[in-house]
Amino acid sequence: DAGVIQSPRHEVTEMGQEVTLRCKPISGHDYLFWYRQTMMRGLELLIYFNNNVPIDDSGMPEDRFSAKMPNASFSTLKIQPSEPRDSAVYFCASSLAGGAGGSPLHFGNGTRLTVT
Amino acid sequence: SQKIEQNSEALNIQEGKTATLTCNYTNYSPAYLQWYRQDPGRGPVFLLLIRENEKEKRKERLKVTFDTTLKQSLFHITASQPADSATYLCALQYGNKLVFGAGTILRVKS
């Protein structure tokens, strides 16, 4: 089991540039979650998918953020244009069942984004 | 909306002692609560889940309690070791989502 794989591990970009973060969930997991972690706000849920369909994107901060899941083994989180306040660690997690089912989340090791 | 509070200050304890971490919540009654461990530069790792109808859950040196009246969960690590040093996060089920607390840093000194 390779676990949840995220890329890149680190991303440094200039304000205004487009940033794309990638995630490969664990095979067989029906749920995929994107979280953002900062010192000030902790771990915040941005969006989650069930069977590749976005279910709840209420945590997405602005229209500059978008997420897709074209198939069961790949998801992207895109920020366009990026701003310095987007600097954070972005985590992808997957689970067998949603939160209501009590399944634990399996997290990737995150992408540390720095926007200068 | 739901609010989760964990010890904001780091917990420093001596090796061999029991570490106790607190998770308090308001404005919600979750069906279950989970605890995760996070090491620097890594994603959180699941440790234990406890359901609302369970008072206590154990796994090796770990013990979790869940008091739905007090709206509080306690996380205990007995016979603590320096390798237990990490940030510990509690997470509450909210529909199909998990909402995380800010975490408590635990430092175990030898």
Side-chain angles (χ1 to χ4, degrees):
Chain A
D1 183 351
V4 174
I5 300 172
Q6 292 188 246
S7 64
R9 284 301 311 274
H10 303 274
E11 178 79 46
V12 180
T13 190
E14 292 183 347
M15 182 174 63
Q17 296 297 308
E18 177 180 296
V19 175
T20 300
L21 312 181
R22 297 172 176 79
C23 174
K24 176 179 170 56
I26 292 173
S27 177
H29 282 191
D30 290 336
Y31 284 80
L32 184 139
F33 303 81
W34 281 99
Y35 282 86
R36 177 172 69 175
Q37 188 173 42
T38 61
M39 289 294 292
M40 290 296 294
R41 301 174 68 90
L43 205 55
E44 303 174 278
L45 178 64
L46 300 177
I47 185 172
Y48 79 91
F49 295 81
N50 176 213
N51 291 323
N52 313 337
V53 177
I55 303 300
D56 186 338
D57 66 354
S58 59
M60 296 285 260
E62 299 171 32
D63 291 344
R64 298 184 295 107
F65 286 69
S66 63
K68 294 182 180 179
M69 193 165 185
N71 57 63
S73 59
F74 184 65
S75 177
T76 60
L77 178 67
K78 186 176 293 186
I79 308 173
Q80 166 64 20
S82 57
E83 297 183 3
R85 60 189 165 130
D86 301 330
S87 298
V89 181
Y90 291 80
F91 286 103
C92 175
S94 67
S95 70
L96 276 171
S103 290
L105 298 188
H106 297 259
F107 283 83
N109 282 325
T111 294
R112 181 174 293 277
L113 174 64
T114 303
V115 183
T116 60
Chain B
S1 63
Q2 68 288 106
K3 184 178 178 183
I4 304 168
E5 291 184 350
Q6 295 189 249
N7 312 64
S8 57
E9 297 191 6
L11 180 62
N12 296 294
I13 65 168
Q14 202 65 33
E15 182 177 8
K17 301 294 186 182
T18 296
T20 298
L21 286 66
T22 305
C23 177
N24 295 301
Y25 60 94
T26 59
N27 299 337
Y28 189 62
S29 296
Y32 63 81
L33 185 149
Q34 298 184 10
W35 283 88
Y36 288 75
R37 168 184 172 141
Q38 186 174 21
D39 292 286
R42 308 296 292 271
V45 174
F46 171 76
L47 296 174
L48 280 169
L49 176 149
I50 186 164
R51 300 187 184 277
E52 60 180 341
N53 61 349
E54 299 174 316
K55 295 294 184 185
E56 182 179 296
K57 202 83 168 279
R58 291 176 184 261
K59 179 182 177 182
E60 297 172 352
R61 295 184 295 112
L62 308 181
K63 184 178 85 171
V64 174
T65 63
F66 194 7
D67 190 323
T68 55
T69 301
L70 290 179
K71 293 187 182 293
Q72 180 182 78
S73 176
L74 298 179
F75 178 82
H76 307 270
I77 305 176
T78 59
S80 60
Q81 305 165 0
D84 295 326
S85 299
T87 298
Y88 291 86
L89 304 159
C90 71
L92 271 62
Q93 168 264 340
Y94 186 69
N96 259 331
K97 301 186 285 192
L98 273 185
V99 180
F100 283 82
T104 298
I105 297 172
L106 172 66
R107 299 191 189 103
V108 182
K109 299 183 178 180
S110 57

